[in-house]
Amino acid sequence: MELVSRNRCFEGEQAVYKHASDVCGVDMTFAVYLPPQARREPVPVLWYLSGLTCTHENAMTKGGFQKYASEQGIALVFPDTSPRGEGVADDEAYDLGIGAGFYLNATQQPWQPHFQMYDYVVKELRDLVLDKLPIMDRHGITGHSMGGHGALTIAMRNPSLFVSLSAFAPIMNPSQSDWGRKQFSAYLGEDESTWSQYDATILMSEAGWHGDILIDQGADDQFIDLLRPQAFAEAATKRRQPCVLRTHAGHDHSYFFVSSFAEDHVHWHAERLHDH
C-alpha cells in the first residue's frame, strides 16, 4: 500500500492509501480512519460504501463519522465506488460506469475486465486491511444510496463475514427501479435471473439477515421512488426480520442527512461489534 495522505483527527489518524488491485486491474484508492485505541491493539472496523458519483473522499470529509469512531474505538474503511484510470470503460451518464460500480461483478463487455467491485470489497480490500493495518477480523458494514445497496447485499450474501449492518437511504429493490435495471442490464446482461443476487429486497425474501438492521431514510428524499424502501419493508415484515426503518421528516438524500445520523449508526455498530 502506498500512503497518499495522513492527518491527525480526533486523536486518531485519517489516512488515504493507493494500491494495485489484481481484482479490478487498476490502481485503487481507499481511506481508513484508525481511532487512538488502534495504537495499543487491533480494533473492530466499520465499512462505509459510498453512493453514485462519489469517491472514498465524500464520506471521509462530509460524513462526520470520525469523532464517533474515535469515541467508540472502531476503525472506518471508505472504499472507492468503482475502478478508475486509463482503459477503464465509462459512460456519459453519471449513473453508469466510473463512479457507479454498484458493488457487483460485471459479466458483460466492456465492463467485465475492471468492474469487479463485489470481489474487491468482500475479498481483496478486506484481506489487505486485515493484513496491513491494526484491524481485527470483526466487521460491520453500512453505506449510502448505491452504497447502502452494496452494504445490504454484501452482508446478506456473506453473513459469516459481518457482525452488524445498517444503511442510509439505500437502493433497496434495484431490479424493479431505474436505478438498477439500467445498470444491471449493462453490467450483467439481459438475463434477469442473474440480477437477484444484487437485490436487497429479493435477498431479504430468500435469506434475510442473522441480526437486526438499522435503516434511515429521509421523508423528503428526492430519489425515494427509485430507492423503493416500501418493497424492502414489506419483505422484511413477511420474513419477521428484526429491522429498524426510520423515516425522518424534512431530510433529503444529501450528506446533510447522512451526517445528521452518523452518530446513531456508529453507536449501533460499535455496540454490536464490541459485544460480539
Side-chain angles (χ1 to χ4, degrees), residues 63-65 67-68 71 258-268:
F65 292 93
K67 178 178 187 292
Y68 311 115
E71 294 170 352
V258 173
S259 62
S260 295
F261 302 101
E263 180 177 13
D264 290 356
H265 284 249
V266 171
H267 284 197
W268 170 277

Side-chain angles (χ1 to χ4, degrees), residues 89-168:
D90 198 13
D91 190 90
E92 292 181 356
Y94 75 95
D95 57 355
L96 183 66
I98 292 175
F102 267 77
Y103 304 99
L104 51 73
N105 289 335
T107 60
Q108 305 298 302
Q109 298 299 327
W111 313 104
Q112 187 274 333
H114 299 109
F115 282 74
Q116 303 293 316
M117 289 300 295
Y118 177 88
D119 279 353
Y120 175 69
V121 171
V122 173
K123 299 176 182 178
E124 188 177 42
L125 186 56
R126 177 189 177 95
D127 289 347
L128 185 66
V129 299
L130 285 174
D131 181 51
K132 300 294 186 182
L133 297 169
I135 288 174
M136 65 174 62
D137 194 5
R138 190 177 299 166
H139 306 253
I141 190 166
T142 188
H144 172 230
S145 193
M146 178 185 74
H149 140 79
L152 291 170
T153 55
I154 285 172
M156 282 192 280
R157 288 181 61 185
N158 300 276
S160 65
L161 300 185
F162 295 95
V163 174
S164 53
L165 171 60
S166 75
F168 299 82

